[in-house]
Amino acid sequence: MIQGYDFTNRTALITGAASGIGAASARWLDRQGIARLILIDLDGDGLSKLDLSCEVETHAADVADEAFWQALEPRLGKLDHAVVNAGIGAGGQMAELEFAEWRRVMAINLDGAFLTLSTALRAMRKAGRGSAVVTASVTGLKPIPGIGAYGVSKAAVAHMARIAAAENAAHGIRVNGIAPGGVDTAIWNSPELEAQFAEHGREAVIGQMGKTTPRGRFATADELAQDIGYLLSDASANATGTVLTSDGGYTL
């Protein structure tokens, strides 16, 4: 194992763990020797298909459900790390966006992130140490027309991570965020792109979209998992309250 990347005897909680960045983070931690993973996603079938060698506890649950977290917290036990990752994509101009859609996005992306992080922080405080990473987005840093609710929610969780870092450093807990650019995950499987996928093929459409970045392609979920793993690990012991931009140069 790389120095500072030993997760032996540690426990991590990951939301949005059934696919994409969450699943990739679970696989990465498993390869680094994590002892136990607590995986949460509405997609229970997706969670059951993850092939992991460590001890795994899965919950098919809505991260925006306060009652779920209230029931889980007393049973969490030891918690060393958290990946606050569950989220949904959404489109729509601010002037046309219905409030119900705004609230749907905020419930999962912001309220769910708050419930996850606050629960994880209390568990880590009992242990006297820990680290968490919150998945934000470059759309929370750079205004992108047409995805206002999503961008606002991601700007909010990035700042939430900074505030949590300031509040918990004295408890031996580090909190950082990550702001991905385009990542080839299921978040792009939206009604808006279905016609293009049907006509040109998903790989071709995603490839063309990726050319908008200086790197020339979207990142993979595994690449983002490595960035998240670094922020969770002891190798980043001096980093807290940062939001790592991992976007292939998109925000340059």
Side-chain angles (χ1 to χ4, degrees):
M1 293 179 186
I2 301 170
Q3 184 177 2
Y5 281 53
D6 185 359
F7 289 83
T8 305
N9 297 323
R10 297 188 187 182
T11 297
L13 181 151
I14 305 174
T15 62
S19 63
I21 294 171
S25 296
R27 292 191 297 266
W28 189 93
L29 286 166
D30 189 43
R31 291 193 298 271
Q32 308 308 316
I34 196 88
R36 179 170 172 252
L37 287 171
I38 302 166
L39 306 179
I40 301 165
D41 199 296
L42 270 177
D43 181 6
D45 289 340
L47 290 175
S48 67
K49 293 175 183 176
L50 292 173
D51 185 15
L52 303 169
S53 60
C54 65
E55 179 185 343
V56 177
E57 175 184 329
T58 62
H59 297 273
D62 179 357
V63 295
D65 180 3
E66 184 182 15
F68 164 72
W69 292 105
Q70 289 174 336
L72 179 65
E73 186 169 352
R75 300 184 283 110
L76 265 183
K78 177 186 176 185
L79 187 65
D80 302 288
H81 308 288
V83 181
V84 184
N85 173 72
I88 57 171
Q93 297 273 336
M94 288 288 199
E96 287 81 39
L97 192 67
E98 293 187 3
F99 183 63
E101 176 65 1
W102 172 273
R103 281 304 319 147
R104 184 181 76 92
V105 175
M106 293 299 164
I108 298 170
N109 291 8
L110 181 53
D111 298 346
F114 163 73
L115 289 168
T116 305
L117 183 59
S118 60
T119 301
L121 288 170
R122 288 190 292 272
M124 290 178 195
R125 282 186 176 189
K126 293 176 183 177
R129 66 180 301 278
S131 63
V133 176
V134 177
T135 302
S137 168
V138 293
T139 64
L141 308 175
K142 177 179 178 177
I144 308 296
I147 54 168
Y150 180 79
V152 171
S153 72
K154 291 303 185 178
V157 297
H159 199 54
M160 181 176 71
R162 296 186 188 99
I163 292 172
E167 292 177 343
N168 288 278
H171 297 278
I173 300 168
R174 297 184 300 108
V175 183
N176 292 291
I178 187 163
V183 185
D184 187 0
T185 68
I187 201 168
W188 296 106
N189 299 344
S190 63
E192 292 80 11
L193 290 175
E194 280 181 0
Q196 293 185 50
F197 289 168
E199 182 177 356
H200 304 289
R202 187 183 186 282
E203 185 176 341
V205 174
I206 294 295
Q208 188 62 38
M209 292 167 64
K211 291 180 181 178
T212 61
T213 69
R215 188 186 187 194
R217 69 169 177 84
F218 279 178
T220 67
D222 288 334
E223 288 171 329
L224 266 295
Q226 291 181 65
D227 292 337
I228 291 170
Y230 166 72
L231 292 173
L232 289 176
S233 76
D234 295 342
S236 65
N238 196 47
T240 194
T242 188
V243 178
L244 173 65
T245 300
S246 180
D247 67 350
Y250 179 71
T251 50
L252 290 175

